[in-house]
Amino acid sequence: MKGWSLATRIVSSVLAVVSISLLALSIAVAGFTRYEITERLDNSLQEVSERLQATIATQPHGPRSDNVAWVPDVGPRTLAYQVVDPAGHVVLRSQNAPVEPFVPDMRTGFADTPNFRVYVAAPTTTAYRVLVGEPTLHRRGATWRATAIAVVPILVFLPVIWFLVRLIVRRALRPLERLHDEMQSRGSGNLRPVPSLDLPVELISIQHAVNTLLSRLETALSTERAFAASAAHELRNPLAALLAQVQMLGRMVPAESEMGRRVGIIVDRTRRLGRTVEKLLQFSRASSGVAFRRDRFDLLAVLHVLVDDLWHNPGDGRGMDMTTNGISHIFVHGDMDATGILIRNLLENALLHGKDAAAVHVSVMPDGSIDITNDCPALMPATLARLTSPFVRGGSTARGSGLGLAIANNIARQMDVRLRLRSPLAGQDRGFGVSLLFPDPEITMTPEEE
């Protein structure tokens, strides 16, 4: 499931509601403003027309024919008027009015022409009628200006609303972010209780529940670690004593005799039992969270110690070839002891199941990953996919417990290490390889390589 942010969802939802509401309000305000402006302009037009009609009625002889009333400062937005006689001829007009009447139909009221909004005044006793026209350009401009004055501030305020909503939501969710950071830091083995964070009431119960869970988890892990340590001590000593007694018995009887052969079988089985018990204890430690610590250490130093130890261990019998590619240090964060168990199991697995005459190759790659390869028959994809499960083996006849890769995989998951198995090796039809990549390695090159 794709992750999502609570703060982003709240901000987006609130802004969506506010924006839609403001847009609806803007449309309503624009419509209301347009209606009001139109009504006011019509009222003004009617008032001017009726006053001119009244003025003409008071004239003793009425207007003169074909006169143009030259009014100063007349422009394309100025009101225009006409005085029309009973025969329909314009006897007086302003210089911005047309020569012919605005409308042929002289009915009292409003009328629209392509260039004017006209009001025809009611006739008086003089029988002359006054027509006053407002230019459409002026009316349209006045309507748009009034609408813009009413709507633009609402739209301009949207970014301010976005900033305020984002600021308020972020500040309100800051305690939740602090709780999130504290809980996330405990995903890597930090099992300390979450400290007091001045949380709101809704989050205090979550903090208490998390602290209770962490306390129980710490107790469970401590119990498992103590059990593994105690079991290791209690099992190793009796097995070591048993092996010593059997070896002493072997020296007391001839090796070629029936008794000597039986003693040899007991010694071999006791050693195998000891190795199996050791692997079971390692598996128990790995399953109990031994690798959750996050200390900084040099991975390459651990690798050198393990390779040197196994190289000089005659029990493992095969050689190792190690290449560092000019890297002197690889600093990573994790548990050094658990890392030793992880890499040792991989090396022992390569030595145990590799071909007798072929060395195990250990390479430190330029990106800080560790690559371990050995020669062996290629594994089937289905077998390779199950190889990290406990007690699963790849079909080899070597004496192994089937726990080495399971232990390594458990520790790798706890340390957020990417462990990748492959078989056959690239460009070959046989071989087995394991690569380890620790998160965020700090690589230091030797001076001549830098």
Side-chain angles (χ1 to χ4, degrees):
M1 183 179 293
K2 186 177 180 180
W4 53 274
S5 169
L6 178 61
T8 302
R9 177 166 293 189
I10 293 177
V11 171
S12 302
S13 301
V14 172
L15 286 178
V17 172
V18 172
S19 300
I20 293 174
S21 300
L22 288 179
L23 289 176
L25 177 62
S26 301
I27 295 173
V29 169
F32 178 77
T33 302
R34 183 180 181 85
Y35 172 79
E36 287 294 321
I37 291 297
T38 301
E39 187 177 23
R40 296 294 182 272
L41 292 176
D42 283 348
N43 290 339
S44 300
L45 188 62
Q46 181 179 354
E47 182 179 357
V48 171
S49 179
E50 290 176 348
R51 289 191 177 187
L52 285 176
Q53 183 72 44
T55 301
I56 291 174
T58 60
Q59 297 294 323
H61 301 291
R64 292 176 298 173
S65 177
D66 296 330
N67 279 345
V68 176
W70 292 95
V71 183
D73 299 327
V74 172
R77 300 175 182 273
T78 308
L79 291 177
Y81 72 89
Q82 295 174 337
V83 178
V84 181
D85 62 13
H89 299 107
V90 177
V91 295
L92 184 64
R93 65 182 178 88
S94 60
Q95 67 262 38
N96 61 333
V99 177
E100 298 297 327
F102 285 117
V103 290
D105 188 2
M106 294 298 173
R107 289 184 299 179
T108 302
F110 291 98
D112 290 310
T113 67
N115 298 319
F116 291 93
R117 170 76 167 170
V118 180
Y119 183 79
V120 181
T124 58
T125 56
T126 60
Y128 288 99
R129 307 196 70 165
V130 175
L131 287 73
V132 179
E134 179 185 9
T136 306
L137 178 65
H138 172 263
R139 176 175 287 259
R140 187 183 299 116
T143 303
W144 277 110
R145 285 193 300 273
T147 303
I149 291 173
V151 172
V152 168
I154 299 176
L155 300 179
V156 170
F157 199 63
L158 272 176
V160 179
I161 294 177
W162 176 86
F163 175 77
L164 293 176
V165 169
R166 182 180 176 85
L167 178 63
I168 293 172
V169 171
R170 292 291 182 186
R171 292 187 62 181
L173 293 179
R174 196 168 296 164
L176 183 60
E177 293 177 355
R178 291 198 298 267
L179 179 62
H180 167 266
D181 294 338
E182 288 288 341
M183 293 175 64
Q184 190 176 41
S185 67
R186 281 148 182 80
S188 299
N190 177 12
L191 299 180
R192 292 175 299 175
V194 178
S196 178
L197 300 174
D198 189 23
L199 299 174
V201 176
E202 294 83 357
L203 298 179
I204 290 179
S205 59
I206 297 178
Q207 180 187 4
H208 289 166
V210 169
N211 285 340
T212 301
L213 179 61
L214 291 175
S215 176
R216 292 179 179 177
L217 183 59
E218 174 67 22
T219 301
L221 292 178
S222 299
T223 302
E224 288 228 19
R225 293 189 187 109
F227 169 78
S230 299
H233 176 74
E234 296 297 330
L235 291 174
R236 284 195 190 105
N237 290 344
L239 287 174
L242 175 61
L243 181 61
Q245 292 295 327
V246 174
Q247 288 174 338
M248 290 178 62
L249 179 62
R251 294 191 183 98
M252 297 171 60
V253 298
E256 295 80 7
S257 65
E258 180 66 21
M259 182 65 69
R261 288 193 296 272
R262 291 184 179 275
V263 169
I265 293 174
I266 295 174
V267 169
D268 180 65
R269 296 297 174 84
T270 303
R271 284 175 177 166
R272 290 180 59 186
L273 178 61
R275 285 196 295 266
T276 302
V277 168
E278 181 67 27
K279 294 300 181 183
L280 285 172
L281 292 174
Q282 287 184 3
F283 184 71
S284 176
R285 292 184 64 193
S287 301
S288 65
V290 68
F292 277 135
R293 293 178 58 187
R294 290 295 182 268
D295 299 325
R296 187 173 181 268
F297 65 94
D298 188 358
L299 175 63
L300 198 54
V302 175
L303 185 62
H304 276 298
V305 170
L306 293 171
V307 170
D308 290 341
D309 180 54
L310 293 175
W311 175 272
H312 296 97
N313 187 348
D316 293 317
R318 295 183 180 86
M320 287 191 182
D321 178 19
M322 181 171 175
T323 305
T324 60
N325 289 314
I327 298 176
S328 59
H329 301 283
I330 304 176
F331 291 100
V332 297
H333 290 83
D335 186 274
M336 187 166 61
D337 293 336
T339 303
I341 296 174
L342 164 63
I343 298 178
R344 187 180 186 91
N345 274 279
L346 295 178
L347 294 176
E348 289 178 347
N349 185 77
L351 289 169
L352 183 63
H353 299 286
K355 188 177 179 181
D356 292 342
V360 172
H361 298 280
V362 181
S363 302
V364 181
M365 309 307 290
D367 61 353
S369 61
I370 309 298
D371 192 64
I372 302 171
T373 60
N374 62 275
D375 185 31
C376 66
L379 300 179
M380 298 295 292
T383 303
L384 189 67
R386 299 188 302 112
L387 211 53
T388 54
S389 301
F391 306 107
V392 174
R393 304 179 61 183
S396 172
T397 57
R399 295 176 178 178
S401 62
L403 288 172
L405 290 179
I407 295 170
N409 185 60
N410 264 359
I411 295 176
R413 283 192 291 105
Q414 294 172 24
M415 298 181 65
D416 300 325
V417 175
R418 189 173 67 185
L419 184 148
R420 186 171 66 90
L421 309 179
R422 62 189 189 278
S423 180
L425 299 178
Q428 303 181 29
D429 58 357
R430 55 186 292 115
F432 179 81
V434 182
S435 65
L436 292 174
L437 179 59
F438 283 71
D440 303 321
E442 303 173 24
I443 302 172
T444 303
M445 306 295 292
T446 53
E448 60 271 15
E449 298 289 339
E450 290 179 347

